[in-house]
Amino acid sequence: MKIKSALVAFLLMIGLAPGVAQANERPVIESFTFTPNDFDLISANTNVVFELVVSHPSGVRNTNTQVTLTGPYGSTLATNLIRTDSPINLAQTKVTFKGTLNISQAILAGAYSVSVAEVESNSSAGNIYGTGVITPSKIRDLIGAENVLLVRN
């Protein structure tokens, strides 16, 4: 009888034990940069280069995402950031996205807020988690323009 009780207890412990750890967390923004982070309209059209690095234990499912600049009076500019690994491996735990936006001299001067659309984890863990909208961290001490692209006249 003790053997049956021990066996039942053992089976219950195995059945109720937590499964293999799953990545039930949001993807982590390792870094988000853009260069230059300010420029003068005096120069010719300017290319702004964006780089986003995201990680998640079960991988990242996006093959691209979109960066949007919102400027004075609601004007917007956007471009796609493309995943750099080739071939694309959705189980890769650390992924880099890159893209370039050519900004014309004809745009309005001012502070352009920068945001990137959500990046999601791979669904291999059973659930999909997103980063939410991504914004840059502080890049300068100018009050009201700590994390924006500055376009000067």
Side-chain angles (χ1 to χ4, degrees):
M1 196 63 163
K2 287 185 179 183
I3 293 176
K4 279 186 180 179
S5 297
L7 182 59
V8 169
F10 178 74
L11 291 175
L12 281 172
M13 286 184 356
I14 290 175
L16 297 176
V20 175
Q22 294 184 3
N24 295 332
E25 59 191 51
R26 290 175 164 249
V28 175
I29 307 305
E30 301 284 337
S31 68
F32 174 46
T33 59
F34 55 95
T35 54
N37 57 34
D38 58 15
F39 65 91
D40 293 313
L41 290 174
I42 296 170
S43 58
N45 292 356
T46 301
N47 286 326
V48 179
V49 178
F50 298 90
E51 181 177 280
L52 172 66
V53 180
V54 180
S55 66
H56 191 272
S58 67
V60 176
R61 75 184 297 215
N62 299 64
T63 56
N64 62 38
T65 188
Q66 187 177 54
V67 63
T68 303
L69 304 180
T70 305
Y73 312 109
S75 59
T76 60
L77 302 166
T79 192
N80 285 324
L81 302 183
I82 307 299
R83 191 172 169 147
T84 61
D85 56 320
S86 182
I88 291 176
N89 175 7
L90 296 180
Q92 186 167 322
T93 59
K94 190 172 187 178
V95 175
T96 301
F97 297 88
K98 289 185 178 181
T100 302
L101 179 62
N102 183 281
I103 299 179
S104 165
Q105 281 182 292
I107 68 167
L108 296 172
Y112 284 75
S113 64
V114 180
S115 62
V116 178
E118 181 173 68
V119 174
E120 297 177 332
S121 66
N122 191 356
S123 62
S124 66
N127 294 311
I128 297 173
Y129 297 92
T131 58
V133 175
I134 302 164
T135 56
S137 55
K138 184 176 178 179
I139 55 177
R140 69 178 63 81
D141 290 327
L142 183 60
I143 295 173
E146 293 91 348
N147 60 352
V148 299
L149 173 66
L150 288 179
V151 179
R152 294 185 299 266
N153 219 353

